[in-house]
Amino acid sequence: MPQPATDIVRSADEFATERRYPFFVKAAFGTASAGVWRVGDLRQRGALLVQLERHNGFAEGLLSRPR
């Protein structure tokens, strides 16, 4: 099965770059569905960005679909 292209995102600035919606973000570590987010629009991206910054979510890098 083909794997989707991904980026490793290591900062809020990288996360804020424009991507086609919807896209998924996956934390480097997580169990079950914890640490995976579906981002459907600009509002959801902004809310997730705040949450990730608050919890040092960029420390280990995140996987995301490229721009």
Side-chain angles (χ1 to χ4, degrees):
M1 179 168 275
Q3 299 294 314
T6 58
D7 283 337
I8 297 176
V9 178
R10 299 190 185 275
S11 71
D13 287 340
E14 289 179 19
F15 184 78
T17 60
E18 194 60 39
R19 289 176 172 76
R20 218 174 55 202
Y21 297 104
F23 64 89
F24 288 86
V25 177
K26 182 186 179 302
F29 298 98
T31 56
S33 63
V36 178
W37 301 271
R38 180 186 184 277
V39 179
D41 59 28
L42 185 60
R43 183 190 57 79
Q44 289 177 344
R45 186 181 73 182
L48 180 56
L49 177 59
V50 169
Q51 179 182 347
L52 291 169
E53 287 184 306
R54 185 177 301 140
H55 298 288
N56 200 23
F58 297 103
E60 299 294 325
L62 301 166
L63 296 178
S64 181
R65 189 176 76 193
R67 300 181 280 291

